Each structure stands twice: as C-alpha cells, then as structure tokens.
Amino acid sequence: MCGIVGYIGNSDCVRFLIDGLKRVEYRGYDSAGVMIYSGKDRSNVLIKKTGRILELEKNIDKNISGNIGIGHTRWATHGEPNDENSHPHVSNNEKIFLVHNGIIENYMSLKKKLEKHGYSFYSETDTEILVNLIQYNYKDDIEEAVKIALAEVKGTYGIGVFCLDEPDKLIAAKLGSPLLIGIGNGENYFASDPASILKSTAEVVYMEDGEIAVITKNSVVHKTLTDEIVKKTVETISIELSDIEKSGYSHFMLKEIFEQPRTINDTMRGRLMLEEGAPKLGGLTQHPEIYKSLLNAEKIFIVACGTSWHSALIGEYMLEEYARIPVEVEYASEFRYRDPIITPKTVVIAISQSGETADTLAAIKEAKRKGAVTIGICNVVGSTISKETDAGVYLHAGPEIGVASTKAFTSQVITLALITLDIARHKDMSFRQGYKIIKELKLLPALAESILENSEKIREIAHKFKNASNFLYLGRGYNFPVALEGALKLKEISYIHAEGYPAAEMKHGPIALIDENMPVIFIAIKDSIYDKVVTNIKEVKARNGVVISIASYGDDEIESISDYVIKIPETTNLLSPVLTVIPLQLMAYYIAVERGLNVDMPRNLAKSVTVE
Ligand code: G6P
C-alpha cells in the first residue's frame, strides 16, 4: 500500500510528482501530499490533502515550483485519512522530510524514547516517529542518520528522505516494500512502481532489501545499511506507456477485461509444445532441483489472498484431478500463523498478482523456514515474492491497474493449467490428452473475444439489477471458485452484498434468503455436473428467485428455467473458468458504473496490500 515518488534535477518537479503519484494511486488513495524545494533561500512547501491526487493537485498554487520534490499517496494504516496524517512527514526541527510506504512495527517504543528526549508529534502515524528518529540521529550527515535510524526500526519500508541542510541529495531505502531508482539525464528519480517514471525514463535500478541509495541529480550511489557499496545493474523497463494508460476506455478495469484475449495469449506464448502434448515453463526448468521437487511433490499447498486465492482453488481441482497430488489451498494470512505440516516432499506455491502482498510473502517465508520448496506465480516481474520463491512462473499479463483483479485471474488460471499439465505429463497423462488440452488452450483467446463481443447483452442485464441489495453466485466443480470470484468482483466495486457458494450447498443456508428480489447467478455450462446444476436452478425458481444463467451455446433447455441467459462457448473442464468468469467481471463492472461508482478505485481497497 501507499505509493512514493521523488525527483532531483534541474527542471520543475511539480508535474513529475503529480503525474507520478497518479500512476501509483492504485496503491492507496485516501490522501496525498508533496514537499517541493525551490532552492531559493532554502524555501520549501509542504502540501497535504485528504482525498485523491486530484484534490492535492487543485491545492498546489500555479506559482509553486522547485527542482527537488518528494510525494506520497496513502492507504491509511496508523491514523485516519486526514491532512495531518498524510505524508510527507516533517521532523520537529522542520528540516527533514520523509515519505514512507510500509509499517514501522516498533513505533510505540521508539515514540516513548523520542518523547523522553523532548520530541512531540502532530500525527498518529508511525512515519512521523521515523522522521524524528532520523532527526535524533542527525549530526551533519543525512545518509548516516538514516542508516542509524533504520538499524533501530522493526517493520517494512520503502522511504524517500530530504534534508534542508543537505539540499543536493535525496536518500532512498528499502526493506520489504518495492522501490526503484529511475536514471535520467541530469536528473534522477525514485518510485514505488516503474509506471511513475516511465514518461521520463525507461532506465531503472531496482533496489533490494537492506539497501540505501544516495541520489543527486548526476549520480546514484547504492550501499548496504552497513556501508558497503553495492554494484547495481541498470535495467530497461519492459512496459509501454500504452500499458499503463486507459487507451480510450472509460476505466482501467474495462480495458483490462477487454485485454484478456491478448493477455491469455501472452501467458501461453512460447510455452505450448503441441508436438509433445506438454508445456515448457522456463522459470521452472531452469532450476532443475526445484523442478524435480515439484514433479515429485507428495503434497502441495497453494497460498494466496483475494482473487489469487480463488484461482488457487481452481488450481487445487486441476492438480488433484490431473497431476494426482493432494493439494491444500490456504489463505496466506492463516497459513503463516498456524502450524501446517510440511514434509520434505511438500511444495508451497504462492499466487500473487502484485508479488508484494504481505501475508503471501510471510507465508512463503514461513514455508521456507520449515524446509518447503517454494514456487511463485506472479504478474509483476522482479516483485518481492517472485524473488523470495525458489522458482516461478510469470503471468506476463502486463500491468493491472484497476483495483479489482480481472486479467490477472484468467492468466493465473492458465498458468495453473500449464503447471498441472507439466506435472501430469511427467506422470500418467497420455500424449493424446495433453495434446487435446493444449489445442483447447490455443483456442481460448478467440473464445474470450467472442464473449466480449456479447458485452452489450451483459450491460442490459446489469442495468436491470443495478438496484439489487444482495446477489447469490452459484457454481459447481471448477466453477465453484468462479462463483466466489464473481461475488467478490461485485462486492469490491459496486458495494452490493454478494455471496458465492457451491450450488448444492445453497440448500444449507442461503436458500432461506431467496425471494423475488434475490438475483441468483448460476454458472451452468454443459459439463459433467450440468444436470445437478439444473436441479439447483429449479430449486431456486421454485422459491421465486430470479435466475441469471451463464450457459453454453446450444443449450436450449436452460432458457426455459432461467430469467436471463448469457451464452458462452465451450471448452474443456479445467479451462472453463477462464471463460465463465468474463461475463461476471463485466456484470460487476456495468453494475458499478450504473451506480455511479469509482470502479478503478473502490472505497477502502488498495491494489497491493503490503500490510497484514
Ligand atoms: C487486494 C486486491 C485484490 C487482490 C488481493 C491479492 O485485496 O484488491 O484485487 O486479489 O489484494 O493481491 P495479489 O497481488 O497478492 O494477487
């Protein structure tokens, strides 16, 4: 959570900071702030505003300019979203400014210590404690003061620091929160996400945990907190500007839903070997020992949160059915604090779009501590989880900016199918079966496209139900997790209460809720349990429920028992979630738009949850 940016150079930094913050607004959007240093008479301005970056922007006077600046967009943890709690925070002597992404866990004890030395505090934040701890350790060297302060800190941080007494530099440091340095021409930058600096440069250096960077307009020196110089490689950002812009769509979420035919393809690109009826996953095979452990695993845990947890459930069905390995799917937040049984032949797979989710990262660390082999399925290249795991598979779905995850989900399902297929083909899955699944995979982009072409019909249905107060989503088998995901999408962006259930389980509770006001969405495609789902639909109709069915083309029976039907093409069982989820994503999107809500930045949520 939270996004930070910084600039040092010869140009005016105001536009850079505001545009950069807008690019990381998905990381938190309850308040924002900037510190701009003009250099003339050491003057600086600090502007902090509750609300979106737009509010902050409105409050920056046109005359304000400067060629050093730091900025922050916040997702509140310590203290409510108000102007005081917003960053940048400033030290008691008003000389040191700090933007911080992460959590200082021992801030209470540090606060007590500083209070004893006469420090006072205007906010409820942990960050204000840190900036004063830096002041407390400051003699005449800001780099030194930051290092000493950080040595005392427990928790996570990506920070940017500016000191009025040393106005030729910015200090950046990282532990557990993403941070990179952008290399410009006569100017340099720091940011939580490459998207913030892409307009200015594609050259970046990714910081590692425990590192500090001293940034001037012409140089960047990387060190460890213990003062050893670190040689870093400059990398070129692979994303294009169009990847992080709406490109004519009204929302990122809509763009990302419509990108799926391409992103599904990108996830499979170069990985399907039709002639062998098997996939090839370089991120696994290049680590032979880890790969061998996966192929020979006796137990797999999949840990994840949110939407990624839903794809994990689909992975469980796939891996057990085809790879014949017992799988347990766990919320990462539960896994990390209980005592899961990890044997030498246990593999733990972490799924995380961002690769930064705190609980998932902690679960992986816990699994490693207990000796498990760990594998990451992440979208963001170079993210913390992708580095922490022993091997992994990237989604290659491109940046996902809408807070509600869409294209990452379909790419996660594809990736899990590829891993399943790989293991299964090393066991007793025949060439013919592998070949058939690969053929079906190749068809998916076109099939997804055909669903999107039908979006108008989904929009019309959404219009009819925009005022519903509750929704029930039901599915079975591979599409039970899709029911959960459909309900989550609706909750996240429309604020309508929705629940997902295995269709048959409806009889054990949710059926009591059903009346003529209760829309029930059934995933009722023609698969092996189709007849059972039809029975469940009839049970709902018998109680006057309103049924919206996601059904297969050519299924005429379903029309007579449903109030509304959205038809989709067929594919093989394990891949069906890739198609069935698309109408549910669109339904949630259109309902939220009809209700006039901010689809890309729903209240209280953040794209990347880097706190427990
Ligand atoms: C947040 C996001 C969700 C996401 C979840 C897990 O809650 O709003 O969209 O599914 O985190 O994120 P991850 O990056 O680990 O997949």
Side-chain angles (χ1 to χ4, degrees), residues 294-482:
L294 177 66
L295 297 179
N296 296 320
E298 282 177 0
K299 169 81 189 251
I300 294 179
F301 280 100
I302 314 182
V303 293
C305 305
T307 288
S308 300
W309 186 78
H310 293 154
S311 70
L313 288 177
I314 296 169
E316 175 183 8
Y317 281 62
M318 290 176 180
L319 284 159
E320 293 207 341
E321 180 170 355
Y322 292 98
R324 308 303 294 156
I325 302 173
V327 177
E328 214 168 315
V329 173
E330 292 253 10
Y331 286 113
S333 54
E334 288 299 311
F335 181 91
R336 64 182 291 195
Y337 287 122
R338 61 181 204 89
D339 206 2
I341 298 167
I342 308 265
T343 62
K345 289 208 161 186
T346 302
V347 170
V348 178
I349 299 179
I351 308 180
S352 174
Q353 185 285 130
S354 62
E356 301 295 342
T357 302
D359 282 321
T360 313
L361 178 61
I364 277 297
K365 288 186 174 161
E366 182 64 17
K368 280 174 90 172
R369 192 172 296 126
K370 293 195 155 76
V373 162
T374 58
I375 288 177
I377 298 179
C378 298
N379 192 31
V380 178
V381 175
S383 53
T384 311
I385 293 171
S386 69
K387 286 186 186 152
E388 188 69 33
T389 39
D390 298 314
V393 184
Y394 280 121
L395 303 181
H396 295 310
E400 188 180 69
I401 293 165
V403 165
S405 183
T406 52
K407 63 177 181 174
F409 176 79
T410 42
S411 287
Q412 286 165 349
V413 175
I414 302 276
T415 304
L416 286 159
L418 296 179
I419 294 175
T420 302
L421 197 55
D422 198 7
I423 305 174
R425 287 285 289 123
H426 281 84
K427 294 187 161 178
D428 51 12
M429 182 188 274
S430 67
F431 165 77
R432 255 180 76 163
Q433 200 176 3
Y435 181 89
K436 185 170 171 277
I437 293 175
I438 290 199
K439 275 266 194 194
E440 296 280 354
L441 278 163
K442 283 179 177 254
L443 291 175
L444 282 179
L447 301 183
E449 189 72 61
S450 73
I451 299 172
L452 294 166
E453 279 162 11
N454 208 12
S455 62
E456 191 48 33
K457 167 141 199 205
I458 300 167
R459 205 183 62 74
E460 282 162 19
I461 298 174
H463 175 72
K464 294 206 165 68
F465 292 100
K466 64 174 193 237
N467 294 322
S469 319
N470 297 288
F471 264 82
L472 193 57
Y473 287 71
L474 301 174
R476 300 181 76 137
Y478 283 100
N479 285 295
F480 154 53
V482 177

Side-chain angles (χ1 to χ4, degrees), residues 77-113:
T77 53
H78 296 68
E80 63 173 285
N82 59 29
D83 294 358
E84 284 72 43
N85 288 333
S86 303
H87 303 213
H89 283 286
V90 59
S91 58
N92 275 205
N93 65 5
E94 297 185 351
K95 284 186 173 182
I96 304 172
F97 297 84
L98 172 68
V99 284
H100 168 218
N101 167 30
I103 288 189
I104 307 301
E105 284 164 12
N106 58 336
Y107 81 106
M108 281 310 284
S109 61
L110 294 171
K111 186 175 183 183
K112 280 193 193 119
K113 164 180 152 168

Side-chain angles (χ1 to χ4, degrees), residues 1 13 89 104 212 218 221 251 266 268 271 300 340 381 386 394 459 529 544-545 556 562 572 588 591 595 606:
M1 348 285 273
C13 65
H89 283 286
I104 307 301
I212 183 167
N218 292 315
V221 179
H251 295 95
D266 287 347
M268 301 187 293
R271 290 170 166 172
I300 294 179
V381 175
S386 69
Y394 280 121
R459 205 183 62 74
I529 37 178
N544 294 326
D556 298 328
S562 311
T572 189
I591 290 179
R595 289 163 78 99

Side-chain angles (χ1 to χ4, degrees), residues 103 155 206 211 223 233 271 283 353 575:
I103 288 189
Y206 289 94
E211 285 180 6
K223 296 180 184 176
T233 332
R271 290 170 166 172
Q353 185 285 130
L575 302 178

